[in-house]
Amino acid sequence: DTGVSQNPRHKITKRGQNVTFRCDPISEHNRLYWYRQTLGQGPEFLTYFQNEAQLEKSRLLSDRFSAERPKGSFSTLEIQRTEQGDSAMYLCASSPGGMFVTEAFFGQGTRLTVV
Amino acid sequence: AQSVTQLGSHVSVSEGALVLLRCNYSSSVPPYLFWYVQYPNQGLQLLLKYTTGATLVKGINGFEAEFKKSETSFHLTKPSAHMSDAAEYFCAVSAGGDMRFGAGTRLTVKP
C-alpha cells in the first residue's frame, strides 16, 4: 500500500469554473477526511466519511462544496463556481474505524489556485 | 466540540538548544492528542500521539510530549534542536470520529 493518494497535485482554474479533486485512502481504512489549509494556518476541517456515509460537515463549508464517497473507497471533493478565496491546499486523510481517531494518515494534498 | 490552541505561531531556537512548542486543548471528554510535522511542500507526518496510559509519550526524531490533564496541555519538547527540525508543527485533538488541528507553530533553527 502506498498510502493516501491525491490527484491532481496542482490545479489552476479560472474563477467561476468547477473543479473536482480525488482522494484514494489506505485500502483498509473506513474513515476519510477532507481538510483545507491556507498559508500559515493549520488544517481546517471540512468533512468526514465513515465508509460511504458523510457523518459531519463543517458549518464553514458553503453549498458550493460537495464531497462524495460512493462505494466507501475513494472520495471526490467538488467545488462549484470557484472563487479566489477558495485558493488553498486541500488535504485528504484516512484512518481506521473506532470510536476515536487513533491516527490519521495524510496525502500530499491538492494545491488549488483560482485566478 | 474539541479544539486546540497553539501558543506562539513562530519559535526560533539555536541548534543544540531545547525545543518547546506549546499546545492546550479543550474537550468535553478525555481526548486523544497528536503532534504532526509538515515540511515545505509535503503532507503531514505523525510525530507522536497520546491515547491512553503513560502520559509521557515519545515520538520520532527525539521528540516527546507530556499529557497534563490538570493543565489541559500537551506540549512538545526536544532536548537538543537540529537544523533538520525546522518545519511547521501542528497539535491536534480527537474526541470522537474526527480530528481538529491548531494553527501551527513554525520552528526555525539557527546555526
Side-chain angles (χ1 to χ4, degrees):
Chain A
D1 196 337
T2 57
V4 178
S5 176
Q6 292 188 246
N7 288 287
R9 292 290 308 279
H10 303 273
K11 178 70 176 179
I12 300 174
T13 191
K14 292 184 178 180
R15 189 175 54 183
Q17 297 295 304
N18 299 344
V19 294
T20 300
F21 310 140
R22 176 177 170 128
C23 173
D24 288 272
I26 294 171
S27 57
E28 62 268 26
H29 288 178
N30 55 21
R31 285 215 181 107
L32 186 148
Y33 310 85
W34 285 101
Y35 292 87
R36 176 172 61 192
Q37 186 179 24
T38 53
L39 198 62
Q41 297 297 315
E44 174 191 19
F45 173 79
L46 295 180
T47 188
Y48 90 97
F49 293 84
Q50 173 91 18
N51 299 313
E52 67 274 12
Q54 188 173 19
L55 295 189
E56 189 173 348
K57 189 175 176 181
S58 170
R59 287 173 293 173
L60 302 175
L61 208 60
S62 80
D63 56 9
R64 295 184 298 106
F65 288 70
S66 63
E68 294 183 342
R69 195 182 182 196
K71 297 182 179 179
S73 57
F74 73 92
S75 175
T76 56
L77 177 68
E78 181 183 18
I79 309 174
Q80 296 181 327
R81 306 180 304 280
T82 52
E83 302 173 356
Q84 286 190 322
D86 297 331
S87 295
M89 177 74 84
Y90 290 83
L91 298 171
C92 176
S94 70
S95 73
M99 184 176 293
F100 281 20
V101 181
T102 53
E103 182 175 350
F105 294 80
F106 281 82
Q108 298 279 61
T110 294
R111 182 170 297 283
L112 173 66
T113 303
V114 181
V115 298
Chain B
Q2 67 271 24
S3 66
V4 293
T5 301
Q6 292 185 240
L7 303 176
S9 59
H10 190 190
V11 170
S12 181
V13 300
S14 297
E15 191 174 18
L18 171 71
V19 175
L20 171 61
L21 305 183
R22 300 177 187 273
C23 172
N24 288 88
Y25 70 90
S26 173
S27 176
S28 56
V29 299
Y32 287 6
L33 295 160
F34 309 82
W35 276 98
Y36 280 82
V37 61
Q38 187 176 35
Y39 298 100
N41 299 314
Q42 293 191 25
L44 279 75
Q45 178 184 3
L46 181 70
L47 268 181
L48 50 80
K49 63 182 178 182
Y50 168 78
T51 55
T52 57
T55 57
L56 180 64
V57 293
K58 296 184 185 297
I60 62 172
N61 301 337
F63 284 93
E64 62 182 37
E66 186 170 11
F67 170 62
K68 292 187 176 181
K69 183 179 178 181
S70 61
E71 299 177 7
T72 61
S73 68
F74 190 59
H75 302 331
L76 182 70
T77 60
K78 181 174 181 177
S80 177
H82 192 272
M83 296 297 290
S84 60
D85 295 327
E88 190 88 19
Y89 291 81
F90 296 98
C91 182
V93 61
S94 171
D98 62 3
M99 182 183 285
R100 305 297 172 110
F101 286 81
T105 298
R106 178 167 298 277
L107 176 65
T108 301
V109 182
K110 299 174 292 186

